[in-house]
Amino acid sequence: MHGTASSAPKIEIRGVAKQYHSARTVQALSKVDLTIADGEFVCLLGPSGCGKSTILRMLARLHKPSDGEIIINTAGGRVTPTAMVFQDYAVFPWKTIEQNVRFGLEMAGVPMPEANERTHRWLKKMGLSDFAKNYPPTLSGGMQQRVSIARALATEPEILLMDEPFAALDAQHRRIMQEELLQLWQEDRRTVVFVTHSIEEAILLGDRIVVMSARPGRIMAEFNVPFARPRSPEIRTDPHFAQLEQEIWNMLRDEVERAYGEGGHK
Amino acid sequence: MTSQTETSPTALRIEPGMAERDPSTFLRRRGRVEFALSLATPIIFVLAWEFASRMGWMDKRFFPAPTNIFDSAVNMYQTGLLEKDLIASTLRILAGFALGVVSGLIAALALGLSRKTRAALEPFLSALYTVPKLALLPLLLLIFGLGEFPKVLLVAMTVFFQVWISCMEAILTIPETYKEAARSFGAKGWSMFRHVTWPALLPQLFINMRISIGIAVLVIVGVEFVQASEGIGYRIWHSWSLFQANRMYVGICVVAIMGYVFGYAVRWVGIWALPWTRARTKV
Ligand SMILES: Nc1ncnc2c1ncn2[C@@H]1O[C@H](COP(=O)(O)OP(=O)(O)OP(=O)(O)O)[C@@H](O)[C@H]1O
Ligand SMILES: [Mg+2]
């Protein structure tokens, strides 16, 4: 009953809940159902601590759900169908920028000459060519973030998981990267799950926006973004853009207040 | 706020200093100054000693002048005595150090990477750690006889615990985020080890090798006091019992220099092997 035979969904999240058991038990996600089609660009919006990163971690098979199940339909033949851009970059300090970007390709078993070619192409795209031989501690936060993006994109994954990938970039660079990503994605539509705190960014990039509640996170609403593809950044000036932005913000505001006002109780 | 004093508006000027205007000269000069200072301290010490000794402020039987000690050293070198002792001690130190580092590293990996092995062996090894190693020397001599092996083994045991504990802790405290990043790209087993565990562990390994080689020198001197017919420790003890203060001081100086040279050698290998740890800016 899920979908038609012609297009099975890429990702199905069915009744997934997640608790973390450390010093105390934290209910990160309550019960999440989400279906993502092949080639869809889905944005996750929600207050801090609502479990957005947790969803991505489970999709990357780093954590397992406490309840429910996740089905990922892959084409097969890869070490892993996903590549992730981490919120805290997670670039390896002991590898040069170049080695960091090549890491994913090495793991995927891409032959050396091609891995080198792709590494340099992505370094160039991210404006990092001059720093290829540097070690990460000598780079700014925004530059390290770009290394992390290059590392993930270079592997050309079936599913791209991006956890606030542009958060550390300055406003100008952020815009350029958004436009770059928009174009890249439109060239070869991959499935993308994109976490952001910016409603504007979500509308600009996403096919669909999923709004989550404060912790324990659940899905409160989904918005289909009405703008046609290929999209250009000019849609920012469209009146419908502002309208949708307002609509989503009205929904989010209470949750954000709840997340902060709660101060950790319950 | 404390009582207001008379203030007038001032312009704070923030501008390049010497280091920023001419970094290469600055670095060269700073390097020279630091090098000179590192030499100055021992030179001043030796000169002060020489002076005090010549002035008769110190008992020459216990504190011979550095020039006398130096004469003694030249004499010991010419007779081949110094070389013989130096080689004997160095071989023992290096053999024991190598054995200790390798076995310590193996134990660190075995315990750091497997919860089960850790559960089985950590309490046991921790208990052994607190046994003073020198106290085991008589036992080792009984078991292995008077040869080289018990001496090397004692050094190895001391180094082993140092390397084991610190490297195991280094493995256990590798930030989760690096492991997750590697796993998210499909790394596991050997590739996880090669790309994350090993490089994350190396800085600790080198720090502890530097500490260990110093401890190895200490231990071998102690061992040679007790049981040896050559070696720097033997020379110090033997000279003392014959009341040859000069020779005793030669031995002490040689030990100090050995510790220094070995420690620096390890450090330099570390700097060469860990390029990312010297990535920080100098100015
Ligand atoms: N490894 C972990 N161990 C214990 N608790 C965790 C762990 N990871 C996340 N949590 C908890 O789960 C909840 C959700 O965390 P998550 O990182 O998914 O939030 P988020 O939506 O990504 O927040 P942000 O927008 O601030 O990044 C938080 O309360 C957090 O403290
Ligand atoms: Mg997060």
Side-chain angles (χ1 to χ4, degrees):
Chain A
M1 79 177 250
H2 273 277
T4 53
S6 61
S7 64
K10 193 77 185 165
I11 300 170
E12 285 176 85
I13 300 175
R14 298 187 193 142
V16 162
K18 177 71 184 173
Q19 287 127 26
Y20 285 107
H21 303 277
S22 45
R24 65 195 184 99
T25 301
V26 174
Q27 181 83 29
L29 286 177
S30 60
K31 187 171 176 303
V32 171
D33 287 281
L34 183 63
T35 305
I36 296 171
D38 193 4
E40 198 179 10
F41 197 127
V42 171
C43 293
L44 296 183
L45 272 175
S48 179
C50 75
K52 304 181 293 297
S53 300
T54 300
I55 292 181
L56 292 198
R57 284 204 155 78
M58 288 191 289
L59 291 175
R61 296 184 298 173
L62 294 171
H63 294 175
K64 288 176 183 160
S66 310
D67 196 11
E69 60 176 359
I70 297 175
I71 312 283
I72 298 178
N73 291 306
T74 73
R78 281 168 182 270
V79 182
T80 163
T82 58
M84 177 126 151
V85 180
F86 287 84
Q87 190 169 5
D88 56 359
Y89 332 138
V91 297
F92 303 117
W94 46 81
K95 287 180 181 287
T96 61
I97 303 313
E98 192 179 10
Q99 291 166 339
N100 263 291
V101 174
R102 193 164 42 221
F103 174 73
L105 298 166
E106 249 175 84
M107 290 300 107
V110 176
M112 209 43 171
E114 194 192 333
N116 281 334
E117 188 272 321
R118 264 153 77 171
T119 301
H120 286 115
R121 185 149 45 87
W122 279 99
L123 284 175
K124 204 163 156 209
K125 264 194 186 148
M126 294 290 143
L128 292 166
S129 295
D130 290 346
F131 296 89
K133 301 273 188 271
N134 278 45
Y135 285 94
T138 60
L139 267 59
S140 73
M143 289 162 97
Q144 296 191 40
Q145 181 102 67
R146 281 183 272 152
V147 175
S148 180
I149 296 170
R151 181 175 65 183
L153 288 177
T155 64
E156 298 174 2
E158 276 183 51
I159 300 169
L160 185 58
L161 306 170
M162 302 181 92
D163 200 346
E164 303 187 36
F166 305 148
L169 305 186
D170 59 278
Q172 292 81 30
H173 222 103
R174 189 181 177 120
R175 252 180 120 122
I176 289 171
M177 287 298 305
Q178 286 168 348
E179 289 165 20
E180 182 94 345
L181 182 67
L182 199 59
Q183 208 182 354
L184 280 169
W185 182 81
Q186 277 160 184
E187 279 165 18
D188 58 346
R189 306 203 165 193
R190 288 167 200 285
T191 311
V192 181
V193 185
F194 189 102
V195 170
T196 176
H197 274 131
S198 158
I199 302 173
E200 188 209 10
E201 185 169 85
I203 300 174
L204 178 67
L205 297 173
D207 292 316
R208 187 149 54 105
I209 297 172
V210 174
V211 180
M212 294 177 64
S213 72
R215 186 170 57 84
R218 64 191 162 75
I219 293 174
M220 286 200 307
E222 295 186 21
F223 294 84
N224 282 311
V225 181
F227 301 103
R229 305 273 188 186
R231 242 177 237 172
S232 87
E234 270 79 77
I235 60 166
R236 283 195 180 94
T237 54
D238 193 305
H240 291 106
F241 193 101
Q243 205 183 322
L244 185 57
E245 195 173 357
Q246 189 59 46
E247 204 179 323
I248 296 174
W249 173 235
N250 288 341
M251 171 141 259
L252 255 179
R253 181 165 44 203
D254 293 344
E255 289 306 313
V256 172
E257 274 166 9
R258 208 155 73 77
Y260 285 92
E262 191 186 44
H265 313 292
K266 147 85 213 271
Chain B
M1 241 181 217
T2 51
S3 63
Q4 287 281 329
T5 48
E6 197 70 28
T7 56
S8 60
T10 4
L12 267 179
R13 191 187 295 273
I14 299 164
E15 53 184 0
M18 172 61 203
E20 287 73 21
R21 273 198 301 272
D22 191 352
S24 60
T25 312
F26 175 80
L27 285 177
R28 225 177 315 117
R29 187 172 301 168
R30 190 170 69 177
R32 275 204 301 262
V33 168
E34 285 170 4
F35 181 67
L37 282 173
S38 70
L39 286 182
T41 311
I43 288 174
I44 290 171
F45 176 74
V46 168
L47 286 179
W49 184 347
E50 180 78 34
F51 184 70
S53 185
R54 291 206 179 174
M55 296 300 287
W57 295 345
M58 295 192 304
D59 188 337
K60 281 204 174 144
R61 286 171 305 164
F62 306 129
F63 303 103
T67 42
N68 293 343
I69 297 172
F70 185 75
D71 288 343
S72 205
V74 170
N75 178 263
M76 284 166 79
Y77 174 74
Q78 280 162 349
T79 57
L81 201 59
L82 195 57
E83 196 183 329
K84 200 177 69 158
D85 288 335
L86 200 57
I87 289 175
S89 293
T90 303
L91 286 181
R92 286 169 192 151
I93 290 169
L94 293 184
F97 177 70
L99 196 61
V101 168
V102 171
S103 57
L105 202 50
I106 290 172
L109 292 173
L111 273 74
L113 296 175
S114 152
R115 287 189 77 96
K116 289 209 177 86
T117 322
R118 192 154 71 244
L121 293 180
E122 193 182 357
F124 180 66
L125 283 177
S126 299
L128 285 185
Y129 171 54
T130 49
V131 175
K133 303 302 163 301
L134 269 174
L136 294 178
L137 184 60
L139 181 67
L140 295 181
L141 291 174
L142 273 179
I143 300 173
F144 299 104
L146 302 182
E148 293 299 310
F149 187 66
K151 302 183 182 72
V152 169
L153 191 61
L154 204 74
V155 173
M157 277 162 55
T158 317
V159 172
F160 168 86
F161 285 102
Q162 175 86 34
V163 170
W164 160 59
I165 292 178
S166 54
C167 288
M168 182 180 71
E169 286 304 324
I171 292 172
L172 294 177
T173 52
I174 296 172
E176 196 59 34
T177 157
Y178 299 133
K179 291 194 266 183
E180 283 197 341
R183 261 197 289 146
S184 77
F185 286 99
K188 51 178 183 277
W190 169 245
S191 53
M192 180 61 101
F193 177 77
R194 189 161 75 86
H195 290 285
V196 178
T197 317
W198 181 248
L201 154 79
L202 272 184
Q204 268 303 312
L205 176 65
F206 273 98
I207 291 172
N208 283 284
M209 288 199 325
R210 203 175 162 196
I211 298 172
S212 299
I213 195 109
I215 299 177
V217 173
L218 299 183
V219 169
I220 210 64
V221 169
V223 170
E224 288 170 350
F225 274 6
V226 179
Q227 201 284 306
S229 52
E230 56 186 5
I232 301 296
Y234 164 77
R235 191 58 53 207
I236 294 171
W237 194 257
H238 189 66
S239 309
W240 173 81
S241 57
L242 296 179
F243 225 69
Q244 297 173 321
N246 285 355
R247 289 193 162 188
M248 188 182 81
Y249 278 102
V250 172
I252 292 173
C253 291
V254 168
V255 169
I257 292 169
M258 265 166 85
Y260 179 84
V261 169
F262 285 149
Y264 257 75
V266 172
R267 181 164 170 245
W268 280 107
V269 174
I271 287 175
W272 169 81
L274 310 170
W276 65 92
T277 57
R278 58 184 137 97
R280 273 167 241 118
T281 43
K282 296 197 184 104
V283 179

